[in-house]
Amino acid sequence: KIIRDITERKRVEAEREVAVEKLTTILESITDAFFAMDRDWRVTYFNHQAELLLGRSRNEVLGQSVWELYPDAVGSRFEQECRLALSTDQPVSFEEYYPSLDKWIDVRAYPSRDGIAVYFRDTTARRAAEAGLKQREEQLRQAQKMEAVGQLAGGIAHDFNNLLTAITGYAGLLLRQFDESDARRGDVLEIRRAAERAGTLTQQLLAFSRRQVTQPRLLNLNSLLEDLSRLLVRLLGEHINVVLELSPEVGSVRADPGQMEQVIVNLAVNARDAMPEGGTLTISTAARAVDETAARAANSTPGAYVALTVRDTGHGFDPGLQERIFEPFFTTKGPGKGTGLGLSTVYGIVRQAGGTVTVTSAPGEGAAFSILLPEAAEPAEATTVEQDQTVVPGTETVLLVEDEPAVRGMAARALREFGYNVVVAADGPDALELGGPGQQQIDLLLTDVALPHLSGRIVAERLLEQRPGMRVLFMSGYTTDPAVMAAAADRGRFIQKPFTPEALLTRVRAVLDEPA
């Protein structure tokens, strides 16, 4: 009879069972999918997370060849990396997209004498978050770049508008001195036409920089498009088929009607140039609800929107150009065929109205510009057509405040020639002194917004405290002053530079004739 002491063996086996139990508890509690294979690629362990991620129960896979269970893995990077780990006895790690799972997986494989242990970690959500962060960083970078260019453009446009106001104004004053038969009249007309064309360019710069004074109102885009359709047909030519797809479900938006017409015409002209052999321009509207996810992607806020889409069947352009397409002076057209301000104007107008504009295109597949404008709670207002007004002289006293000498001289001369008594000030303090207590009656304050020392708004507020019955008319090449923008929304209390003497006199008369 042989007696053998197996106490030590039993102790080791018990410790091993405890260790295995602990390891099993750990492997079942981790958030990674874990499975192990022997050197014949048979599955020897499969934790609960692996069941969830890979869609198989452990009873199905234990003892089975991984290549038979997952034939798509044969020849994949997973197989290559695992075989490399076993041959070199070195761990490997990599990240890969698995179409069958529709997930990105971070894979870590550790070889051993018995086989190989593999950890799978689902990184799909992390990659999506990183991509979203990268997109938001790119949106911020692009917005900052556009804002910097916009500030430069606004400053240039402001200075040019003062010069153009003087050119346009003095040309208008000269025209009144020449009769129709005078040959010099044609020269002056050419000067004024050139100034007006330059004024259009500065207005486009202001629109891009969002420093253009607007007169927003409640609009129905369907009505606006129906009114514009005949103009678009004539503008684009017979070789372009214009199609309107207008949803009756769209609500109203708050925007400047003239600016929205400018947006549509600019996009339509761009589409025409992209279809030299002819094609179809489709303009559609739709009601759109934007959730938080879509709002982040569009750099906007959640809510109800009206979508305006302008789509053409033209030659399109490379998607790589989409980041620059709205920059001022950037154009894909040949030399002399475009200013590069059309789309930047669209961008500025839409952003100033609280909306967003995006573009999708590819070579040979046309282009689609998509505009989202916040839907207004109130219904659209009825459209009214303004009638041309004849310049009427006056006898009232106007306090004219303008720091640009050429503009100041032109405006004063125009007002005096039509009978007004004009008191001239070059800055804010000068205006307060000339319009203060004990001075003559002031019927109208005509003031530039941007003045040295005191702004036109502050001058108006202080004088109105002393002269509550005085009327106020602001003028500027551009402004971002909220109070002035509010005044501009009430037609007649703001005049945009550059302006003609006739436009100035008409606006002055209209403000003076307003009911008390």
Side-chain angles (χ1 to χ4, degrees):
K1 185 176 181 180
I2 300 174
I3 299 175
R4 181 177 298 168
D5 186 355
I6 60 172
T7 305
E8 181 65 19
R9 190 186 74 186
K10 288 292 187 181
R11 184 185 65 78
V12 170
E13 288 177 352
E15 289 179 352
R16 181 179 179 182
E17 288 178 1
V18 170
V20 168
E21 185 177 348
K22 287 182 178 179
L23 179 60
T24 300
T25 301
I26 292 171
L27 292 176
E28 290 300 322
S29 63
I30 62 175
T31 57
D32 292 346
F34 171 83
F35 59 96
M37 298 173 288
D38 60 22
R39 286 187 171 262
D40 292 326
W41 305 104
R42 290 189 298 269
V43 179
T44 58
Y45 190 85
F46 208 71
N47 76 349
H48 180 61
Q49 288 297 328
E51 291 181 300
L52 297 177
L53 182 62
L54 299 177
R56 296 285 185 94
S57 70
R58 70 186 70 194
N59 292 333
E60 289 182 79
V61 302
L62 289 177
Q64 303 297 314
S65 167
V66 70
W67 313 125
E68 293 177 1
L69 290 167
Y70 301 99
D72 290 346
V74 177
S76 67
R77 185 180 179 184
F78 173 77
E79 181 185 7
Q80 296 169 9
E81 295 285 353
C82 287
R83 290 188 184 279
L84 176 64
L86 284 176
S87 65
T88 61
D89 199 31
Q90 295 293 325
V92 294
S93 63
F94 59 95
E95 194 170 15
E96 189 177 18
Y97 177 72
Y98 289 86
S100 60
L101 302 175
D102 190 26
K103 295 180 184 299
W104 280 91
I105 303 294
D106 176 33
V107 182
R108 288 163 292 153
Y110 300 90
S112 68
R113 181 182 60 187
D114 298 325
I116 188 166
V118 180
Y119 292 85
F120 271 13
R121 176 172 293 174
D122 183 355
T123 58
T124 309
R126 189 205 73 201
R127 289 181 68 95
E130 290 174 350
L133 178 61
K134 184 177 180 181
Q135 181 187 37
R136 288 191 291 276
E137 288 175 347
E138 178 60 25
Q139 287 175 341
L140 177 61
R141 185 193 68 80
Q142 185 72 3
Q144 289 173 336
K145 181 176 72 173
M146 298 289 268
E147 180 65 24
V149 176
Q151 289 177 356
L152 174 63
I156 291 172
H158 173 259
D159 292 339
F160 265 84
N161 273 339
N162 271 333
L163 298 173
L164 292 171
T165 300
I167 295 171
T168 303
Y170 280 110
L173 294 174
L174 274 174
L175 280 175
R176 291 211 297 273
Q177 299 178 22
F178 304 135
D179 58 35
E180 296 292 336
S181 61
D182 196 317
R184 293 173 295 179
R185 183 179 178 84
D187 296 336
V188 178
L189 282 171
E190 285 302 318
I191 292 172
R192 190 167 74 172
R193 290 190 190 103
E196 288 171 350
R197 288 196 297 272
T200 299
L201 292 178
T202 60
Q203 291 308 305
Q204 290 176 322
L205 284 172
L206 288 172
F208 163 74
S209 61
R210 285 176 274 165
R211 285 162 171 78
Q212 188 177 29
V213 177
T214 62
Q215 295 180 338
R217 52 177 292 186
L218 291 168
L219 292 176
N220 183 284
L221 289 183
N222 287 353
S223 300
L224 185 71
L225 286 166
E226 287 168 350
D227 292 340
L228 267 181
S229 60
R230 289 186 293 276
L231 169 64
L232 292 177
V233 170
R234 292 196 303 270
L235 179 67
L236 303 183
E238 295 180 354
H239 65 302
I240 304 293
N241 182 33
V242 179
V243 178
L244 298 183
E245 297 178 350
L246 308 180
S247 168
E249 305 300 323
V250 299
S252 56
V253 299
R254 184 173 291 279
D256 185 301
Q259 287 194 334
M260 289 312 302
E261 289 179 3
Q262 189 178 3
V263 165
I264 296 163
V265 169
N266 281 3
L267 292 177
V269 169
N270 258 29
R272 178 198 64 190
D273 294 344
M275 300 183 287
E277 305 300 323
T280 300
L281 173 69
T282 304
I283 305 177
S284 59
T285 60
R288 185 79 52 82
V290 176
D291 59 20
E292 290 189 7
T293 302
R296 283 196 299 270
N299 195 24
S300 62
T301 55
Y305 285 79
V306 175
L308 169 66
T309 304
V310 179
R311 182 180 293 103
D312 65 63
T313 57
H315 49 63
F317 52 85
D318 192 292
L321 297 177
Q322 293 181 19
E323 289 185 0
R324 300 192 60 197
I325 203 73
F326 296 111
E327 293 180 9
F329 306 114
F330 177 80
T331 179
T332 58
K333 301 174 185 178
K337 295 185 177 180
T339 63
L341 289 173
L343 290 179
S344 62
T345 300
V346 169
Y347 174 88
I349 290 173
V350 171
R351 293 296 292 172
Q352 192 169 12
T356 62
V357 54
T358 55
V359 58
T360 55
S361 183
E365 297 183 9
F369 289 84
S370 300
I371 294 170
L372 286 178
L373 293 171
E375 182 178 317
E378 311 93 329
E381 301 167 359
T383 303
T384 58
V385 179
E386 293 188 359
Q387 302 295 327
D388 292 336
Q389 292 179 289
T390 304
V391 177
V392 178
T395 58
E396 293 89 345
T397 298
V398 177
L399 174 55
L400 169 62
V401 191
E402 170 61 63
D403 61 314
E404 178 60 43
V407 177
R408 187 169 65 243
M410 182 278 294
R413 179 176 163 184
L415 289 165
R416 285 173 178 145
E417 286 188 4
F418 272 75
Y420 293 98
N421 177 38
V422 182
V423 180
V424 177
D427 56 31
D430 193 16
L432 292 178
E433 182 178 347
L434 292 171
Q439 301 297 326
Q440 61 183 304
Q441 170 70 25
I442 302 295
D443 300 295
L444 172 71
L445 170 66
L446 173 60
T447 179
D448 191 21
V449 175
L451 293 170
H453 312 304
L454 292 175
S455 72
R457 178 175 62 83
I458 294 176
V459 170
E461 288 175 351
R462 292 187 181 177
L463 288 180
L464 283 170
E465 291 175 358
Q466 305 164 16
R467 302 174 180 271
M470 182 185 69
R471 307 300 171 87
V472 177
L473 176 58
F474 291 109
M475 56 182 173
S476 182
Y478 82 95
T479 181
T480 54
D481 189 314
V484 176
M485 297 289 277
D490 184 0
R491 293 179 181 274
R493 297 186 182 178
F494 184 91
I495 184 166
Q496 177 81 47
K497 294 178 180 177
F499 49 75
T500 65
E502 293 78 13
L504 174 63
L505 291 163
T506 300
R507 193 62 57 85
V508 165
R509 189 69 263 160
V511 174
L512 285 169
D513 290 342
E514 285 180 353

